[in-house]
Amino acid sequence: MKHLRTLLAVTVAMTFLLGVSVALRPVELQSTATTHCKEAVLTAAAGTVSSSSCDGALASRVSGLLDTSVREVNDILDISWARRVAVVVPATDSELVSLVGPAFADMAGVAIRDGSGQRVVLNRVRAAALSDVELGVLLRHEITHVATRDLTSDSAPLWLVEGFADWVAFHGTGLSLRQAAPLLKPDVSALPVDFGGSGRDLAYQQAYSIMVYLESRLGERGVVDFFLRHASMSAVDARAVDVAGWREFLKTTIG
């Protein structure tokens, strides 16, 4: 799972940035075919997986997990959304960059929104290296961004949108907080903000731990309600989370 933590992406805020840059490109998807591979589309009840035939093994794995992933996300959220997801596996690095931009091309997955709507774009090399459990976590994370995009303010803090997506993604895996967030230390003093620099991995794990902490106080539905209430705001007061309580929770949980 530490392997997944190195690769796992991406934020709703990144989706907003991508929407600006990608919208300037042609709306039509580039063909996922290459000289030696044909374009292929697998259809599941909850969406489609577009790839080249050379990435058929990964596309088949994603397609096999898609219905379950969408259902599991929907069961937790219990909100109105399309309940369908389009997943794209670009056949080449250049195609990947054209969809997500160079800054995010090393991510295992990116939820984007542009003129073609919302899609989850997977890095074929990174995603293929994941186990089925890790791939399921990745899909649920990105599907959560897709499902909640219209309910989330552009200015919602990353600790909220990323922590919540991780909380949904890891739900039901049976992994402890320490297993899902191996970099965590209990000596936190403020909400995480460094989601783009050298502290990115730790910030994601801290954000996830905030949601686990809130679940211990509010219950599962309480976390969903907390997210929906605050994510729609133009700005979220940092005092929405009791940092001292979060710190004590980490001391008790991970030592």
Side-chain angles (χ1 to χ4, degrees):
M1 196 56 63
K2 185 177 181 181
H3 176 60
L4 172 64
R5 277 299 185 179
T6 304
L7 302 175
L8 187 61
V10 130
T11 70
V12 169
M14 289 180 182
T15 304
F16 299 152
L17 295 175
L18 288 168
V20 174
S21 59
V22 176
L24 300 178
R25 303 187 183 100
V27 169
E28 297 79 10
L29 279 173
Q30 295 186 19
S31 172
T32 52
T34 66
T35 304
H36 304 291
C37 309
K38 297 180 180 179
E39 185 174 10
V41 179
L42 298 179
T43 301
T48 59
V49 182
S50 302
S51 71
S52 80
S53 57
C54 291
D55 294 315
L58 173 59
S60 180
R61 291 175 63 204
V62 173
S63 179
L65 291 168
L66 193 58
D67 288 350
T68 300
S69 298
V70 168
R71 182 178 69 252
E72 290 173 344
V73 169
N74 189 66
D75 286 347
I76 295 173
L77 295 181
D78 191 26
I79 61 175
S80 178
W81 66 291
R83 301 182 188 181
R84 288 184 59 82
V85 178
V87 180
V88 179
V89 184
T92 64
D93 290 345
S94 60
E95 183 186 349
L96 175 65
V97 170
S98 74
L99 288 173
V100 306
F104 309 126
D106 67 329
M107 302 292 192
V110 183
I112 69 171
R113 182 175 189 174
D114 59 18
S116 293
Q118 295 199 77
R119 288 163 285 156
V120 173
V121 181
L122 298 183
N123 180 313
R124 55 193 289 273
V125 175
R126 300 287 193 177
L130 300 177
S131 68
D132 283 347
V133 172
E134 292 171 330
L135 186 58
V137 170
L138 174 64
L139 287 173
R140 290 191 296 273
H141 181 106
E142 303 306 339
I143 290 169
T144 300
H145 286 324
V146 171
T148 59
R149 174 60 182 86
D150 289 337
L151 303 175
T152 306
S153 166
D154 291 11
S155 58
L158 297 186
W159 63 260
L160 179 66
V161 294
E162 289 308 316
F164 184 72
D166 259 5
W167 179 77
V168 174
F170 281 101
H171 190 276
T173 61
L175 294 169
S176 68
L177 180 58
R178 172 57 74 194
Q179 290 172 315
L183 297 178
L184 269 183
K185 295 181 179 180
D187 56 342
V188 293
S189 58
L191 302 179
V193 295
D194 183 16
F195 286 85
S198 59
R200 182 184 68 184
D201 290 346
L202 177 59
Y204 271 86
Q205 294 179 37
Q206 288 178 335
Y208 168 63
S209 75
I210 291 171
M211 297 301 141
V212 178
Y213 160 61
L214 290 175
E215 184 179 9
S216 73
R217 295 178 58 242
L218 306 175
E220 181 178 306
R221 185 64 216 180
V223 176
V224 177
D225 290 341
F226 178 92
F227 170 79
L228 295 176
R229 180 169 63 254
H230 291 89
S232 62
M233 295 180 178
S234 58
V236 177
D237 191 330
R239 291 174 295 180
V241 175
D242 175 11
V243 174
W246 171 39
R247 182 170 57 249
E248 290 303 312
F249 171 77
L250 291 179
K251 288 180 179 178
T252 301
T253 306
I254 65 174

